[in-house]
Amino acid sequence: MQPVRAVASATLLILLTVTVVSGPLVGAVDLTPESQADDAPIGSGGAEVSVLSVPSDGVTLERGQYGSASFYLHAPDARVRVDAVSGQPMVVYKIRIPELGATFGTTRFLSADDVGTHTLSLGQKAFAPHRISQDSYDAELIVLVRTGNDEHELARQSVTVAVVR
């Protein structure tokens, strides 16, 4: 029994020593990894991004299936090409429907590994049926790059949202 107790005591002593030496009171040893370039604050830096495609049609509000009364927004994907990234900027794809007071979007956080082509999807957004009173709505599809407090608009496409009942 003595060897087991000795091993347990030694382990406990090592854990306590490491905790005290690396803790905030003593701080003699820093056990955290070195900061890397990828540790830049989200939204900082910059990116060279070009828009390959933004849909000009095909945006719909469709009544849900299986007796659902809600309408669901469907929008085709946008495609962008990222040529260079510094820090962690964001690419945003959004739709704005002023008559419904609605703006929905998706954000992709970029890093140096994200050079290449990317697809941006809005996904489905639900609307209560009492909000949909017209057969179509004017909308805008927007792609932009956000860095810090700055936004650089890459594309703005006017579209008609068709209501499918």
Side-chain angles (χ1 to χ4, degrees):
M1 279 304 215
Q2 289 298 359
V4 173
R5 184 174 252 176
V7 170
S9 296
T11 302
L12 185 59
L13 180 64
I14 290 171
L15 287 173
L16 286 172
T17 303
V18 169
T19 302
V20 170
V21 170
S22 65
L25 292 177
V26 176
V29 178
D30 185 7
L31 298 177
T32 57
E34 286 292 317
S35 178
Q36 299 175 356
D38 288 352
D39 291 342
I42 292 175
S44 68
E48 291 180 28
V49 179
S50 55
V51 176
L52 299 176
S53 67
V54 175
S56 59
D57 60 6
V59 181
T60 60
L61 276 168
E62 297 181 28
R63 187 173 293 278
Q65 297 179 355
Y66 310 111
S68 171
S70 296
F71 283 85
Y72 293 89
L73 177 69
H74 300 275
D77 298 339
R79 292 178 32 90
V80 297
R81 172 148 184 84
V82 178
D83 292 318
V85 178
S86 64
Q88 290 189 348
M90 298 174 273
V91 175
V92 178
Y93 175 41
K94 63 184 176 178
I95 185 167
R96 191 172 73 81
I97 310 171
E99 293 170 283
L100 293 175
T103 301
F104 299 109
T106 186
T107 301
R108 180 174 181 103
F109 299 94
L110 299 176
S111 69
D113 298 334
D114 288 323
V115 171
T117 302
H118 300 279
T119 301
L120 305 171
S121 301
L122 289 174
Q124 290 187 356
K125 308 299 179 199
F127 287 86
H130 70 274
R131 294 187 63 193
I132 308 303
S133 60
Q134 299 175 195
D135 292 332
S136 66
Y137 293 91
D138 293 329
E140 293 179 312
L141 294 172
I142 303 162
V143 178
L144 58 91
V145 173
R146 186 174 291 152
T147 56
N149 294 329
D150 297 326
E151 289 184 352
H152 175 66
E153 189 174 288
L154 302 174
R156 180 180 294 262
Q157 178 70 42
S158 294
V159 297
T160 298
V161 180
V163 176
V164 180
R165 296 188 189 271

PDB file of all heavy atoms in Angstrom, residues 48-79:
ATOM      1  N   GLU A  48      -8.822  40.096 -50.329  1.00  0.00           N
ATOM      2  CA  GLU A  48      -9.084  40.348 -51.742  1.00  0.00           C
ATOM      3  C   GLU A  48     -10.141  39.340 -52.166  1.00  0.00           C
ATOM      4  O   GLU A  48      -9.864  38.151 -52.276  1.00  0.00           O
ATOM      5  CB  GLU A  48      -7.815  40.174 -52.566  1.00  0.00           C
ATOM      6  CG  GLU A  48      -6.769  41.237 -52.308  1.00  0.00           C
ATOM      7  CD  GLU A  48      -5.520  41.021 -53.138  1.00  0.00           C
ATOM      8  OE1 GLU A  48      -5.622  40.427 -54.237  1.00  0.00           O
ATOM      9  OE2 GLU A  48      -4.451  41.421 -52.678  1.00  0.00           O
ATOM     10  N   VAL A  49     -11.360  39.832 -52.356  1.00  0.00           N
ATOM     11  CA  VAL A  49     -12.493  38.967 -52.677  1.00  0.00           C
ATOM     12  C   VAL A  49     -13.166  39.500 -53.934  1.00  0.00           C
ATOM     13  O   VAL A  49     -13.377  40.702 -54.062  1.00  0.00           O
ATOM     14  CB  VAL A  49     -13.510  38.940 -51.511  1.00  0.00           C
ATOM     15  CG1 VAL A  49     -14.706  38.055 -51.854  1.00  0.00           C
ATOM     16  CG2 VAL A  49     -12.851  38.479 -50.223  1.00  0.00           C
ATOM     17  N   SER A  50     -13.514  38.592 -54.840  1.00  0.00           N
ATOM     18  CA  SER A  50     -14.281  38.969 -56.025  1.00  0.00           C
ATOM     19  C   SER A  50     -15.532  38.100 -56.083  1.00  0.00           C
ATOM     20  O   SER A  50     -15.526  36.951 -55.665  1.00  0.00           O
ATOM     21  CB  SER A  50     -13.448  38.814 -57.295  1.00  0.00           C
ATOM     22  OG  SER A  50     -12.933  37.502 -57.396  1.00  0.00           O
ATOM     23  N   VAL A  51     -16.597  38.677 -56.593  1.00  0.00           N
ATOM     24  CA  VAL A  51     -17.866  37.971 -56.695  1.00  0.00           C
ATOM     25  C   VAL A  51     -17.909  37.243 -58.032  1.00  0.00           C
ATOM     26  O   VAL A  51     -17.729  37.849 -59.083  1.00  0.00           O
ATOM     27  CB  VAL A  51     -19.050  38.951 -56.571  1.00  0.00           C
ATOM     28  CG1 VAL A  51     -20.364  38.238 -56.784  1.00  0.00           C
ATOM     29  CG2 VAL A  51     -19.025  39.623 -55.211  1.00  0.00           C
ATOM     30  N   LEU A  52     -18.158  35.948 -57.977  1.00  0.00           N
ATOM     31  CA  LEU A  52     -18.295  35.154 -59.192  1.00  0.00           C
ATOM     32  C   LEU A  52     -19.742  35.138 -59.669  1.00  0.00           C
ATOM     33  O   LEU A  52     -20.006  35.180 -60.861  1.00  0.00           O
ATOM     34  CB  LEU A  52     -17.807  33.726 -58.954  1.00  0.00           C
ATOM     35  CG  LEU A  52     -16.339  33.586 -58.546  1.00  0.00           C
ATOM     36  CD1 LEU A  52     -16.005  32.146 -58.242  1.00  0.00           C
ATOM     37  CD2 LEU A  52     -15.432  34.135 -59.645  1.00  0.00           C
ATOM     38  N   SER A  53     -20.687  35.059 -58.711  1.00  0.00           N
ATOM     39  CA  SER A  53     -22.098  35.083 -59.104  1.00  0.00           C
ATOM     40  C   SER A  53     -22.983  35.500 -57.935  1.00  0.00           C
ATOM     41  O   SER A  53     -22.730  35.141 -56.793  1.00  0.00           O
ATOM     42  CB  SER A  53     -22.552  33.711 -59.615  1.00  0.00           C
ATOM     43  OG  SER A  53     -22.554  32.759 -58.574  1.00  0.00           O
ATOM     44  N   VAL A  54     -23.983  36.302 -58.282  1.00  0.00           N
ATOM     45  CA  VAL A  54     -25.066  36.675 -57.370  1.00  0.00           C
ATOM     46  C   VAL A  54     -26.331  36.457 -58.186  1.00  0.00           C
ATOM     47  O   VAL A  54     -26.431  36.942 -59.305  1.00  0.00           O
ATOM     48  CB  VAL A  54     -24.966  38.147 -56.915  1.00  0.00           C
ATOM     49  CG1 VAL A  54     -26.172  38.527 -56.073  1.00  0.00           C
ATOM     50  CG2 VAL A  54     -23.686  38.393 -56.145  1.00  0.00           C
ATOM     51  N   PRO A  55     -27.293  35.718 -57.659  1.00  0.00           N
ATOM     52  CA  PRO A  55     -28.479  35.419 -58.466  1.00  0.00           C
ATOM     53  C   PRO A  55     -29.260  36.673 -58.844  1.00  0.00           C
ATOM     54  O   PRO A  55     -29.343  37.618 -58.072  1.00  0.00           O
ATOM     55  CB  PRO A  55     -29.310  34.510 -57.562  1.00  0.00           C
ATOM     56  CG  PRO A  55     -28.772  34.701 -56.195  1.00  0.00           C
ATOM     57  CD  PRO A  55     -27.358  35.152 -56.326  1.00  0.00           C
ATOM     58  N   SER A  56     -29.814  36.653 -60.046  1.00  0.00           N
ATOM     59  CA  SER A  56     -30.659  37.762 -60.489  1.00  0.00           C
ATOM     60  C   SER A  56     -32.127  37.371 -60.472  1.00  0.00           C
ATOM     61  O   SER A  56     -32.996  38.208 -60.684  1.00  0.00           O
ATOM     62  CB  SER A  56     -30.249  38.223 -61.885  1.00  0.00           C
ATOM     63  OG  SER A  56     -30.364  37.138 -62.794  1.00  0.00           O
ATOM     64  N   ASP A  57     -32.400  36.086 -60.241  1.00  0.00           N
ATOM     65  CA  ASP A  57     -33.770  35.608 -60.126  1.00  0.00           C
ATOM     66  C   ASP A  57     -33.781  34.320 -59.318  1.00  0.00           C
ATOM     67  O   ASP A  57     -32.750  33.878 -58.827  1.00  0.00           O
ATOM     68  CB  ASP A  57     -34.414  35.408 -61.505  1.00  0.00           C
ATOM     69  CG  ASP A  57     -33.674  34.391 -62.355  1.00  0.00           C
ATOM     70  OD1 ASP A  57     -32.729  33.735 -61.858  1.00  0.00           O
ATOM     71  OD2 ASP A  57     -34.037  34.235 -63.528  1.00  0.00           O
ATOM     72  N   GLY A  58     -34.968  33.744 -59.166  1.00  0.00           N
ATOM     73  CA  GLY A  58     -35.078  32.488 -58.432  1.00  0.00           C
ATOM     74  C   GLY A  58     -35.289  32.652 -56.938  1.00  0.00           C
ATOM     75  O   GLY A  58     -35.246  31.679 -56.193  1.00  0.00           O
ATOM     76  N   VAL A  59     -35.517  33.884 -56.487  1.00  0.00           N
ATOM     77  CA  VAL A  59     -35.779  34.115 -55.066  1.00  0.00           C
ATOM     78  C   VAL A  59     -37.290  34.014 -54.866  1.00  0.00           C
ATOM     79  O   VAL A  59     -38.059  34.686 -55.559  1.00  0.00           O
ATOM     80  CB  VAL A  59     -35.256  35.487 -54.606  1.00  0.00           C
ATOM     81  CG1 VAL A  59     -35.514  35.681 -53.129  1.00  0.00           C
ATOM     82  CG2 VAL A  59     -33.770  35.632 -54.924  1.00  0.00           C
ATOM     83  N   THR A  60     -37.710  33.157 -53.933  1.00  0.00           N
ATOM     84  CA  THR A  60     -39.144  32.930 -53.730  1.00  0.00           C
ATOM     85  C   THR A  60     -39.506  32.907 -52.250  1.00  0.00           C
ATOM     86  O   THR A  60     -38.671  32.656 -51.387  1.00  0.00           O
ATOM     87  CB  THR A  60     -39.579  31.581 -54.339  1.00  0.00           C
ATOM     88  OG1 THR A  60     -38.853  30.525 -53.704  1.00  0.00           O
ATOM     89  CG2 THR A  60     -39.356  31.543 -55.843  1.00  0.00           C
ATOM     90  N   LEU A  61     -40.775  33.172 -52.015  1.00  0.00           N
ATOM     91  CA  LEU A  61     -41.411  32.934 -50.727  1.00  0.00           C
ATOM     92  C   LEU A  61     -42.440  31.843 -50.986  1.00  0.00           C
ATOM     93  O   LEU A  61     -43.423  32.065 -51.705  1.00  0.00           O
ATOM     94  CB  LEU A  61     -42.107  34.189 -50.204  1.00  0.00           C
ATOM     95  CG  LEU A  61     -41.245  35.183 -49.455  1.00  0.00           C
ATOM     96  CD1 LEU A  61     -41.997  36.500 -49.269  1.00  0.00           C
ATOM     97  CD2 LEU A  61     -40.829  34.623 -48.116  1.00  0.00           C
ATOM     98  N   GLU A  62     -42.209  30.652 -50.449  1.00  0.00           N
ATOM     99  CA  GLU A  62     -43.082  29.509 -50.709  1.00  0.00           C
ATOM    100  C   GLU A  62     -43.771  29.059 -49.434  1.00  0.00           C
ATOM    101  O   GLU A  62     -43.142  28.990 -48.374  1.00  0.00           O
ATOM    102  CB  GLU A  62     -42.270  28.347 -51.282  1.00  0.00           C
ATOM    103  CG  GLU A  62     -41.630  28.654 -52.612  1.00  0.00           C
ATOM    104  CD  GLU A  62     -40.839  27.472 -53.170  1.00  0.00           C
ATOM    105  OE1 GLU A  62     -41.185  26.324 -52.863  1.00  0.00           O
ATOM    106  OE2 GLU A  62     -39.868  27.730 -53.898  1.00  0.00           O
ATOM    107  N   ARG A  63     -45.064  28.735 -49.584  1.00  0.00           N
ATOM    108  CA  ARG A  63     -45.811  28.218 -48.438  1.00  0.00           C
ATOM    109  C   ARG A  63     -45.206  26.875 -48.026  1.00  0.00           C
ATOM    110  O   ARG A  63     -44.807  26.071 -48.843  1.00  0.00           O
ATOM    111  CB  ARG A  63     -47.282  28.039 -48.793  1.00  0.00           C
ATOM    112  CG  ARG A  63     -48.123  27.665 -47.572  1.00  0.00           C
ATOM    113  CD  ARG A  63     -49.601  27.649 -47.881  1.00  0.00           C
ATOM    114  NE  ARG A  63     -50.176  28.943 -48.186  1.00  0.00           N
ATOM    115  CZ  ARG A  63     -50.558  29.838 -47.270  1.00  0.00           C
ATOM    116  NH1 ARG A  63     -50.393  29.603 -45.994  1.00  0.00           N
ATOM    117  NH2 ARG A  63     -51.096  30.978 -47.647  1.00  0.00           N
ATOM    118  N   GLY A  64     -45.119  26.676 -46.724  1.00  0.00           N
ATOM    119  CA  GLY A  64     -44.556  25.441 -46.198  1.00  0.00           C
ATOM    120  C   GLY A  64     -45.378  24.223 -46.568  1.00  0.00           C
ATOM    121  O   GLY A  64     -46.565  24.332 -46.887  1.00  0.00           O
ATOM    122  N   GLN A  65     -44.753  23.081 -46.517  1.00  0.00           N
ATOM    123  CA  GLN A  65     -45.419  21.828 -46.862  1.00  0.00           C
ATOM    124  C   GLN A  65     -46.119  21.223 -45.650  1.00  0.00           C
ATOM    125  O   GLN A  65     -45.918  21.661 -44.518  1.00  0.00           O
ATOM    126  CB  GLN A  65     -44.385  20.844 -47.404  1.00  0.00           C
ATOM    127  CG  GLN A  65     -43.727  21.326 -48.678  1.00  0.00           C
ATOM    128  CD  GLN A  65     -42.683  20.345 -49.179  1.00  0.00           C
ATOM    129  OE1 GLN A  65     -42.374  19.360 -48.542  1.00  0.00           O
ATOM    130  NE2 GLN A  65     -42.128  20.638 -50.338  1.00  0.00           N
ATOM    131  N   TYR A  66     -46.905  20.212 -45.914  1.00  0.00           N
ATOM    132  CA  TYR A  66     -47.566  19.425 -44.872  1.00  0.00           C
ATOM    133  C   TYR A  66     -48.459  20.277 -43.982  1.00  0.00           C
ATOM    134  O   TYR A  66     -48.464  20.145 -42.769  1.00  0.00           O
ATOM    135  CB  TYR A  66     -46.552  18.643 -44.040  1.00  0.00           C
ATOM    136  CG  TYR A  66     -45.589  17.860 -44.889  1.00  0.00           C
ATOM    137  CD1 TYR A  66     -44.251  18.222 -44.963  1.00  0.00           C
ATOM    138  CD2 TYR A  66     -46.029  16.783 -45.645  1.00  0.00           C
ATOM    139  CE1 TYR A  66     -43.368  17.510 -45.757  1.00  0.00           C
ATOM    140  CE2 TYR A  66     -45.147  16.078 -46.450  1.00  0.00           C
ATOM    141  CZ  TYR A  66     -43.831  16.439 -46.498  1.00  0.00           C
ATOM    142  OH  TYR A  66     -42.969  15.739 -47.293  1.00  0.00           O
ATOM    143  N   GLY A  67     -49.198  21.194 -44.593  1.00  0.00           N
ATOM    144  CA  GLY A  67     -50.162  21.988 -43.846  1.00  0.00           C
ATOM    145  C   GLY A  67     -49.581  23.182 -43.113  1.00  0.00           C
ATOM    146  O   GLY A  67     -50.277  23.873 -42.392  1.00  0.00           O
ATOM    147  N   SER A  68     -48.294  23.458 -43.272  1.00  0.00           N
ATOM    148  CA  SER A  68     -47.687  24.616 -42.618  1.00  0.00           C
ATOM    149  C   SER A  68     -48.232  25.893 -43.249  1.00  0.00           C
ATOM    150  O   SER A  68     -48.320  26.018 -44.469  1.00  0.00           O
ATOM    151  CB  SER A  68     -46.168  24.581 -42.777  1.00  0.00           C
ATOM    152  OG  SER A  68     -45.597  25.792 -42.337  1.00  0.00           O
ATOM    153  N   ALA A  69     -48.605  26.839 -42.426  1.00  0.00           N
ATOM    154  CA  ALA A  69     -49.133  28.100 -42.942  1.00  0.00           C
ATOM    155  C   ALA A  69     -48.014  29.094 -43.237  1.00  0.00           C
ATOM    156  O   ALA A  69     -48.219  30.070 -43.942  1.00  0.00           O
ATOM    157  CB  ALA A  69     -50.107  28.699 -41.928  1.00  0.00           C
ATOM    158  N   SER A  70     -46.833  28.879 -42.697  1.00  0.00           N
ATOM    159  CA  SER A  70     -45.718  29.811 -42.863  1.00  0.00           C
ATOM    160  C   SER A  70     -45.223  29.836 -44.308  1.00  0.00           C
ATOM    161  O   SER A  70     -45.388  28.881 -45.056  1.00  0.00           O
ATOM    162  CB  SER A  70     -44.560  29.410 -41.947  1.00  0.00           C
ATOM    163  OG  SER A  70     -44.940  29.506 -40.602  1.00  0.00           O
ATOM    164  N   PHE A  71     -44.609  30.948 -44.655  1.00  0.00           N
ATOM    165  CA  PHE A  71     -43.927  31.072 -45.944  1.00  0.00           C
ATOM    166  C   PHE A  71     -42.423  31.024 -45.664  1.00  0.00           C
ATOM    167  O   PHE A  71     -41.953  31.573 -44.670  1.00  0.00           O
ATOM    168  CB  PHE A  71     -44.285  32.400 -46.622  1.00  0.00           C
ATOM    169  CG  PHE A  71     -45.639  32.394 -47.249  1.00  0.00           C
ATOM    170  CD1 PHE A  71     -46.772  32.685 -46.494  1.00  0.00           C
ATOM    171  CD2 PHE A  71     -45.798  32.103 -48.595  1.00  0.00           C
ATOM    172  CE1 PHE A  71     -48.031  32.683 -47.065  1.00  0.00           C
ATOM    173  CE2 PHE A  71     -47.061  32.102 -49.179  1.00  0.00           C
ATOM    174  CZ  PHE A  71     -48.176  32.389 -48.412  1.00  0.00           C
ATOM    175  N   TYR A  72     -41.688  30.391 -46.573  1.00  0.00           N
ATOM    176  CA  TYR A  72     -40.249  30.244 -46.396  1.00  0.00           C
ATOM    177  C   TYR A  72     -39.516  30.915 -47.553  1.00  0.00           C
ATOM    178  O   TYR A  72     -39.836  30.690 -48.720  1.00  0.00           O
ATOM    179  CB  TYR A  72     -39.859  28.767 -46.304  1.00  0.00           C
ATOM    180  CG  TYR A  72     -40.395  28.132 -45.049  1.00  0.00           C
ATOM    181  CD1 TYR A  72     -41.651  27.542 -45.025  1.00  0.00           C
ATOM    182  CD2 TYR A  72     -39.661  28.177 -43.865  1.00  0.00           C
ATOM    183  CE1 TYR A  72     -42.158  26.990 -43.866  1.00  0.00           C
ATOM    184  CE2 TYR A  72     -40.163  27.624 -42.694  1.00  0.00           C
ATOM    185  CZ  TYR A  72     -41.413  27.038 -42.711  1.00  0.00           C
ATOM    186  OH  TYR A  72     -41.913  26.499 -41.545  1.00  0.00           O
ATOM    187  N   LEU A  73     -38.538  31.723 -47.197  1.00  0.00           N
ATOM    188  CA  LEU A  73     -37.723  32.421 -48.185  1.00  0.00           C
ATOM    189  C   LEU A  73     -36.663  31.460 -48.708  1.00  0.00           C
ATOM    190  O   LEU A  73     -35.940  30.831 -47.926  1.00  0.00           O
ATOM    191  CB  LEU A  73     -37.052  33.637 -47.544  1.00  0.00           C
ATOM    192  CG  LEU A  73     -36.104  34.425 -48.437  1.00  0.00           C
ATOM    193  CD1 LEU A  73     -36.884  35.141 -49.532  1.00  0.00           C
ATOM    194  CD2 LEU A  73     -35.319  35.427 -47.609  1.00  0.00           C
ATOM    195  N   HIS A  74     -36.585  31.354 -50.037  1.00  0.00           N
ATOM    196  CA  HIS A  74     -35.558  30.551 -50.697  1.00  0.00           C
ATOM    197  C   HIS A  74     -34.785  31.477 -51.634  1.00  0.00           C
ATOM    198  O   HIS A  74     -35.402  32.206 -52.431  1.00  0.00           O
ATOM    199  CB  HIS A  74     -36.172  29.419 -51.524  1.00  0.00           C
ATOM    200  CG  HIS A  74     -36.984  28.457 -50.720  1.00  0.00           C
ATOM    201  ND1 HIS A  74     -36.430  27.394 -50.069  1.00  0.00           N
ATOM    202  CD2 HIS A  74     -38.316  28.417 -50.449  1.00  0.00           C
ATOM    203  CE1 HIS A  74     -37.375  26.723 -49.439  1.00  0.00           C
ATOM    204  NE2 HIS A  74     -38.537  27.329 -49.645  1.00  0.00           N
ATOM    205  N   ALA A  75     -33.471  31.447 -51.541  1.00  0.00           N
ATOM    206  CA  ALA A  75     -32.643  32.266 -52.432  1.00  0.00           C
ATOM    207  C   ALA A  75     -31.467  31.431 -52.917  1.00  0.00           C
ATOM    208  O   ALA A  75     -30.858  30.697 -52.130  1.00  0.00           O
ATOM    209  CB  ALA A  75     -32.129  33.504 -51.706  1.00  0.00           C
ATOM    210  N   PRO A  76     -31.154  31.518 -54.208  1.00  0.00           N
ATOM    211  CA  PRO A  76     -29.977  30.799 -54.713  1.00  0.00           C
ATOM    212  C   PRO A  76     -28.706  31.295 -54.032  1.00  0.00           C
ATOM    213  O   PRO A  76     -28.639  32.409 -53.499  1.00  0.00           O
ATOM    214  CB  PRO A  76     -29.962  31.152 -56.205  1.00  0.00           C
ATOM    215  CG  PRO A  76     -31.365  31.553 -56.516  1.00  0.00           C
ATOM    216  CD  PRO A  76     -31.871  32.214 -55.271  1.00  0.00           C
ATOM    217  N   ASP A  77     -27.698  30.456 -54.056  1.00  0.00           N
ATOM    218  CA  ASP A  77     -26.410  30.773 -53.440  1.00  0.00           C
ATOM    219  C   ASP A  77     -25.651  31.824 -54.248  1.00  0.00           C
ATOM    220  O   ASP A  77     -25.851  31.962 -55.456  1.00  0.00           O
ATOM    221  CB  ASP A  77     -25.535  29.517 -53.353  1.00  0.00           C
ATOM    222  CG  ASP A  77     -26.159  28.435 -52.491  1.00  0.00           C
ATOM    223  OD1 ASP A  77     -27.025  28.762 -51.665  1.00  0.00           O
ATOM    224  OD2 ASP A  77     -25.764  27.267 -52.648  1.00  0.00           O
ATOM    225  N   ALA A  78     -24.775  32.534 -53.562  1.00  0.00           N
ATOM    226  CA  ALA A  78     -23.801  33.417 -54.214  1.00  0.00           C
ATOM    227  C   ALA A  78     -22.455  32.703 -54.169  1.00  0.00           C
ATOM    228  O   ALA A  78     -22.213  31.866 -53.289  1.00  0.00           O
ATOM    229  CB  ALA A  78     -23.722  34.755 -53.489  1.00  0.00           C
ATOM    230  N   ARG A  79     -21.586  33.035 -55.108  1.00  0.00           N
ATOM    231  CA  ARG A  79     -20.243  32.430 -55.118  1.00  0.00           C
ATOM    232  C   ARG A  79     -19.204  33.541 -55.164  1.00  0.00           C
ATOM    233  O   ARG A  79     -19.359  34.507 -55.903  1.00  0.00           O
ATOM    234  CB  ARG A  79     -20.079  31.488 -56.309  1.00  0.00           C
ATOM    235  CG  ARG A  79     -20.955  30.248 -56.170  1.00  0.00           C
ATOM    236  CD  ARG A  79     -20.896  29.284 -57.338  1.00  0.00           C
ATOM    237  NE  ARG A  79     -19.665  29.166 -58.054  1.00  0.00           N
ATOM    238  CZ  ARG A  79     -18.674  28.291 -57.766  1.00  0.00           C
ATOM    239  NH1 ARG A  79     -18.801  27.474 -56.764  1.00  0.00           N
ATOM    240  NH2 ARG A  79     -17.591  28.254 -58.508  1.00  0.00           N
TER     241      ARG A  79
END
